[in-house]
Amino acid sequence: MSEYKRSASSLDALNQWVLEVAQLAKPDRIHWCDGSDVENDALVAQMLADGTLIKLNERTHPDSYLHRSHPDDVARVEHLTFVCTSDRDDAGPNNHWMAPDQARQQMKSLFDGCMKGRTMYVVPYCMGPIDSPLSRCGVEITDSPYVVANMRIMTRMGAAALARIEREGSFVKGLHSTGELDPDRRFIMHFPEDLEIQSFGSGYGGNALLGKKCHALRIASHQARKEGWLDEHMLILGIENPKGETHYVAAAFPSACGKTNLAMLIPPEGYRKDGWKISTIGDDICWMRPGKDGRLYAINPEAGFFGVAPGTSEKSNPNALASIQQNTIFTNVAVTDDNQPWWEGLDKRVPVTDWKGNAYDASATHPAAHPNSRFTVSAKECPSYSPHAEDAQGVPISAIVFGGRRASLVPLVFEARDWTHGVLVGAAMGSETTAAATGAVGVMRRDPMAMKPFCGYNFADYFDHWLSFDKPGAKLPKIFHVNWFRKGEGGDFLWPGFGDNMRVLEWMLKRVDGAAGAVETPIGNLPDPVDINLDGVELTAEAREKLFGYDRAGWASEFEHIGEYLQEYGARMPDALNGEQTRITHELSIG
Ligand code: GTP
Ligand code: SPV
Ligand code: MN
């Protein structure tokens, strides 16, 4: 690996690779993307002509388009996603593994001639502000103009990225073809030792926009470990208090578990009157590294949002809704009679066409929009987007939050007692699966730090890497765990969520400042309801008990499962985490 060696011949290396790929894939044409408006206009015109995009209502949604995926290609495919390290144990039990030679062989036969009759696009991109030392570049070769249009929104794509690649002499190589969209000929392969990605047979989101999950999470996780930083599936938001001080918080929730919503939160009215303000740095990925002062500084490597449409409304997420009124690509949403995009939870209208393009009416029994339908939009369209998202040095993080979708057991919020405990809290995260990946929905699984599908190496080593940040001079953020999804006996959510999550954020920041109380328990420090501002929130007695209480017997059983989970990693699991699990299990047993 020569990723940070300066090399005058970096563009030669790129040209050479493009040539090799062209010889294999045999496209009719090669187009080097410069990211310009002219280029984008031409691509959009071409996609409108061949039906890849459908124009939406120009009056209500100017410059916005609908794309319908193949019905078998609507989510990430974790069972077809591989990490190909030379040593199987480096990928760990948390990844599917294939030997690099075998994977390359298999992919070579799939890519052979796959671009005949197609244009091959060469897409240089930068993950992170173009002038930030924390940013990293890549080049995606793809035969999908839809991917090009999305990459242009999601990354700093084009000429400036190419110039940085030339300057730096390093880039991640991503090769993508939609192939025939055949689920039986679909693979997402990662070669972290060579900084390479090969993706075949899907045109969807995380499978195909290689800058996102493949590069900025799986490949970058290796770079982060080697270079001493953290690469996370986290949103980043700024919270300005009435005194004008801003704290930044990073939060890891699994796919479709609330990152976009928390990142764009609008505080309840009382908070707004008092002067609280929220700003959005990022909604999905966070790269952070220790600064000279010992604090962790974070950037959002992305430039746009690929957000979940269902559930997005004027009530739940007004900032997201405002962002997607123009210049947006919608994927797999439904359409109203006047050609506006629509999804479940938006409003009371009934669409006339479902996500597959079939007629739809009120008697239908299936959702009109796909549950994993998405919008792609530039972060600049978001009213709460922070100017500090462009800061080259990143923003200092005061608190890290972990959270999952847990109908039972897990209270609204608790605080880890120290960094090691916090790492265990992250490692022990569980969450019910969602439509963001193919497979069953609503099944509880361990999803450590929301990175189960995204950590490109052995989780045991990843936890060890996290633990290594606790060293002399470090000024680490406090770590918390939240659960917005606790349900009551009747099956309803007990916590109002969305804007009201501000109340929980305020408690966290007070804890950071040493200004709020908490009750110490074996699982961590819980707020007493009096510690949290609940003005204007009506909670039933059941809600209070379940959101703020802790069920010792339930947690004792949870910790047994956590212990079993950690054991799956064998001797590689850091002693400190096993020790922490043993300590808490013991405390739970004595009351
Ligand atoms: P990815 O983009 O897949 O990584 O997901 P994400 O974590 O950004 O998820 P997102 O914010 O888009 O939320 C997914 C779903 O959770 C949406 O349907 C939201 O309406 C719902 N949701 C978000 N926040 C809350 C909350 O506080 N309470 C409840 N009940 N639902 C929420
Ligand atoms: C997720 O699934 O966590 C996403 C969407 O953010 S995708 O880009 O498809 O991975
Ligand atoms: Mn995500």
Side-chain angles (χ1 to χ4, degrees), residues 161-183:
L162 190 62
R164 180 164 171 161
I165 289 169
E166 187 171 17
R167 224 171 38 242
E168 272 183 349
S170 76
F171 62 97
V172 170
K173 292 176 183 165
L175 171 54
H176 169 254
S177 171
T178 52
E180 314 87 50
L181 299 176
D182 175 357

Side-chain angles (χ1 to χ4, degrees), residues 233 255-261 284 308 310 374 405 485 497-498 501:
H233 190 207
S255 303
C257 290
K259 290 185 300 302
T260 304
N261 279 272
D284 198 48
V308 176
R374 301 243 169 194
R405 199 178 265 274
F485 300 94
F498 303 103
N501 293 335

Side-chain angles (χ1 to χ4, degrees), residues 92-170:
N94 45 303
N95 280 299
H96 299 293
W97 176 84
M98 202 183 283
D101 287 351
Q102 189 196 337
R104 284 187 186 282
Q105 199 61 36
Q106 193 168 314
M107 294 309 275
K108 196 172 173 191
S109 68
L110 290 173
F111 279 108
D112 193 356
C114 72
M115 296 188 191
K116 275 183 196 155
R118 302 182 184 180
T119 300
M120 179 173 117
Y121 299 94
V122 182
V123 185
Y125 63 86
C126 179
M127 300 310 294
I130 201 88
D131 58 348
S132 169
L134 282 72
S135 301
R136 295 286 182 272
C137 290
V139 177
E140 175 166 357
I141 295 181
T142 179
D143 55 9
S144 163
Y146 166 80
V147 164
V148 176
N150 276 272
M151 284 291 285
R152 181 169 185 266
I153 297 172
M154 296 303 297
T155 72
R156 280 87 172 168
M157 182 271 256
L162 190 62
R164 180 164 171 161
I165 289 169
E166 187 171 17
R167 224 171 38 242
E168 272 183 349
S170 76

